[in-house]
Amino acid sequence: MNLSLEYLINQKLAHVFDVLNLDKKFAVVKVSDRPDLSDFQCNGALALAKSERKNPREIAALIVGELEKDADFAKISIDGPGFINLSLADKFLAHNIDAIAADKNFGCAKVDKPNRVVMDFGGPNVAKALHVGHLRSAVVGESIRRIENFVGNETVSDVHFGDWGTPMGMILSEIIRQDGNLAKVETYDIKQISAFYKQANIRCKEDESAKEEARLITTKIQDKEPEFYKAWQHLRKVSVDDVKKNYAELEAHFDLWLGESDAHETCKEVVKIAQERGIAEVDDGATIIRLDETKSQRPPVILVKSDGGFGYQLTDIATIKMRYDDLHADEIIYVVDKRQSLHFEQVFEVAEKLNLAPNVKFLHIGFGTVNGPDGKPFKTRDGGVMNLEDLIKLSKDKVRESLPLPNEVEGYGEKEIEKMVTQIAMAAIKFQDLKNNIASGYIFELEDFAKFEGKTGPYIQYAVARINSIIRKANAAGIKEGNIIISNREEKDLALKISQLSNTIMRAHTEHEPSIISDYVYTLAQTFSTFYNASSIMNAESAELASSRLKMSRLVRDILVQLLYLLGIEAPEVMLKRERSAFDRNN
């Protein structure tokens, strides 16, 4: 079902164009640039002027003549060289909102042909704590995943764990250097393993022999020599368990926890395919694939390095093959830092050259960095990379300052307050990210976490809580929902905004841009506030109007909750604020 007003009006226009024998591809409306003049406008007459060899106003007059027979339009006029202005009848708009309120998907369209979309986001590494750079991958990726599911696609999400390269050998070589062997490796937790990695990283930068030793141990892991492979399995398990906690707090969902290691055998298959098809060549001891230089001068892709190890890009190429063979992907979406754009350009071209995933669409959604007030990537006070866990703690501490203490409000003990702290902090983190265009970096503003106004996540949550309170009071007064009635400008504006929902979500899906939803949800909350200030439920002029406004309020509440969900945000039933002291109020 598609209850978008643009869609419904376009159908009416298409019928008129058919009657007039005009090209129906121009039977399209858009939200009016001048809402003071009309609700929608159609510019089709101008586009038809050349092919019809008529003045556009003459064509517009023919179209208007037919449209005026339709009682669903309250006013139709021609403006300028041939713009057609359309204003809807209140009754038609009211019926549309009734239909949206009755539909579980709020009248939103679905994709014509559902696809199986494999999503690759997350990208954590063994022995490395998640840092602020992982925030955008998780938050953006999860929102896009939810939007894909909402419009009817089936998603399979994969974290794509970095678990198979030289860092694994570095960690084990450092453990052996300090312990003499690997006997104690299974007793080490994530903090100890991370410490070994940091020490190994420093050592390998300074000592070529240490780097070579790490490389040899990596080979033993990849050859599955029992002692080294078992130790590696522990490193991986401890790391996966640790990052799962952070992703759980962010509510980032992964169906698969596969890593680079899972593609190792397929890497061999890809090399063999490339050799058999004559696409690979040996250059200075390495097996490579040259790329199409007519597009741009890009370096070749190294499948096998001169030392016999697999190249960096081969794992992603092999993973594409697995996602086609095993997961039957129609589309593969990667949500990864935009600085990796060349890497994915190369990977996609090689996958296409080798025909590893016929007819599968590849897409890299590159995101910008999370920056501090200085405009540079967000760091800790001592200049190190900000861990995601620390960022979440900072955010919660800031939110906690604005909420009541446990048991200050009846029914809200420590457990309930901490749940609200988490919900608000996550909303602040995610909305601050998702209100920005994905490709752009943004300034992480910790002060926003105490704001219940402005374009913030807590503002939208507060709007939901406010409507919940309105509904509770109306229900207590015995008011029931009834048919929608449009009786003033504020009701009409809210109805028109609600009717844009389907197009908004579909555009966010098509453009893979959650900020489109963020903009809409904020504007909808503002539009509701204006509506409610002018359209009382408790003091409505009639029982019918009260019932209509209650339904409109409930519908907006449900839409806000749904849109917050698509952004990965929970909506608390109520929102509490700490009372300011007399000193605070007077100073």
Side-chain angles (χ1 to χ4, degrees), residues 417-459:
I417 292 295
E418 282 307 302
K419 180 181 179 182
M420 192 174 294
V421 164
T422 298
Q423 289 173 321
I424 296 171
M426 290 300 106
I429 288 173
K430 293 179 180 182
F431 199 86
Q432 191 172 145
D433 189 309
L434 295 171
K435 72 182 181 183
N436 297 282
N437 182 278
I438 290 172
S440 304
Y442 70 94
I443 304 295
F444 187 87
E445 294 284 3
L446 194 58
E447 292 306 311
D448 279 357
F449 286 66
K451 290 183 179 177
F452 287 78
E453 65 281 330
K455 197 173 181 180
T456 67
Y459 170 76

Side-chain angles (χ1 to χ4, degrees), residues 483-495:
N483 292 333
I484 297 294
I485 301 168
I486 304 296
S487 68
N488 61 31
R489 183 70 231 183
E490 289 78 15
E491 288 169 334
K492 182 168 186 177
D493 286 344
L494 183 57

Side-chain angles (χ1 to χ4, degrees), residues 311-571:
Y312 168 58
Q313 289 134 322
L314 180 57
T315 298
D316 274 320
I317 295 166
T319 302
I320 284 176
K321 185 178 189 309
M322 293 171 64
R323 288 169 176 167
Y324 178 78
D325 293 345
D326 303 337
L327 302 178
H328 312 296
D330 297 307
E331 185 175 356
I332 306 175
I333 296 175
Y334 297 81
V335 183
V336 183
D337 190 321
K338 66 180 180 182
R339 290 172 290 189
Q340 294 290 318
S341 59
L342 175 60
H343 166 79
F344 285 107
E345 223 182 284
Q346 293 173 303
V347 166
F348 296 162
E349 186 168 330
V350 170
E352 288 167 357
K353 273 179 176 286
L354 299 177
N355 199 32
L356 298 179
N359 302 316
V360 172
K361 180 182 176 183
F362 307 131
L363 178 64
H364 169 220
I365 299 172
F367 54 80
T369 52
V370 181
N371 301 318
D374 59 357
K376 297 177 181 177
F378 200 76
K379 294 181 182 293
T380 57
R381 287 182 181 177
D382 62 6
V385 177
M386 175 69 75
N387 283 350
L388 186 54
E389 194 171 335
D390 294 334
L391 183 78
I392 292 172
K393 183 179 182 303
L394 275 175
S395 306
K396 286 184 177 181
D397 290 344
K398 192 69 181 176
V399 169
R400 202 174 284 110
E401 293 173 6
S402 65
L403 293 188
L405 296 172
N407 300 311
E408 272 191 346
V409 176
E410 186 179 351
Y412 287 87
E414 185 174 352
K415 181 181 177 183
E416 290 76 17
I417 292 295
E418 282 307 302
K419 180 181 179 182
M420 192 174 294
V421 164
T422 298
Q423 289 173 321
I424 296 171
M426 290 300 106
I429 288 173
K430 293 179 180 182
F431 199 86
Q432 191 172 145
D433 189 309
L434 295 171
K435 72 182 181 183
N436 297 282
N437 182 278
I438 290 172
S440 304
Y442 70 94
I443 304 295
F444 187 87
E445 294 284 3
L446 194 58
E447 292 306 311
D448 279 357
F449 286 66
K451 290 183 179 177
F452 287 78
E453 65 281 330
K455 197 173 181 180
T456 67
Y459 170 76
I460 312 300
Q461 290 177 313
Y462 189 72
V464 171
R466 183 186 179 203
I467 299 174
N468 285 334
S469 175
I470 290 167
I471 293 171
R472 284 194 296 271
K473 288 176 183 176
N475 289 340
I479 300 171
K480 304 294 183 184
E481 290 186 15
N483 292 333
I484 297 294
I485 301 168
I486 304 296
S487 68
N488 61 31
R489 183 70 231 183
E490 289 78 15
E491 288 169 334
K492 182 168 186 177
D493 286 344
L494 183 57
L496 287 168
K497 178 56 67 175
I498 290 169
S499 299
Q500 293 172 14
L501 177 65
S502 178
N503 280 9
T504 298
I505 294 178
M506 194 53 71
R507 192 159 69 87
H509 156 66
T510 303
E511 297 180 25
H512 300 96
E513 186 55 76
S515 66
I516 292 169
I517 290 177
S518 300
D519 286 340
Y520 176 83
V521 74
Y522 174 63
T523 308
L524 178 62
Q526 288 184 308
T527 307
F528 175 82
S529 183
T530 302
F531 151 81
Y532 187 69
N533 290 337
S535 311
S536 172
I537 295 175
M538 305 300 286
N539 298 310
E541 297 89 323
S542 68
E544 291 77 14
L545 265 180
S547 296
S548 166
R549 290 168 181 172
L550 177 60
K551 180 190 268 190
M552 192 92 88
S553 299
R554 190 268 304 166
L555 175 58
V556 171
R557 189 273 313 272
D558 291 349
I559 290 172
L560 291 176
V561 170
Q562 177 65 63
L563 294 177
L564 285 176
Y565 172 80
L566 294 181
L567 298 174
I569 295 171
E570 287 187 18

Side-chain angles (χ1 to χ4, degrees), residues 9-10 13 17 26-30 38 40-46 60 63 67 82-86:
I9 298 169
N10 286 347
L13 270 177
F17 276 46
F26 299 114
V28 178
V29 296
K30 67 171 188 171
S38 64
F40 295 91
Q41 67 185 66
C42 173
N43 304 335
L46 282 80
I63 296 169
L67 287 174
F83 301 113
I84 300 173
N85 294 318
L86 303 166

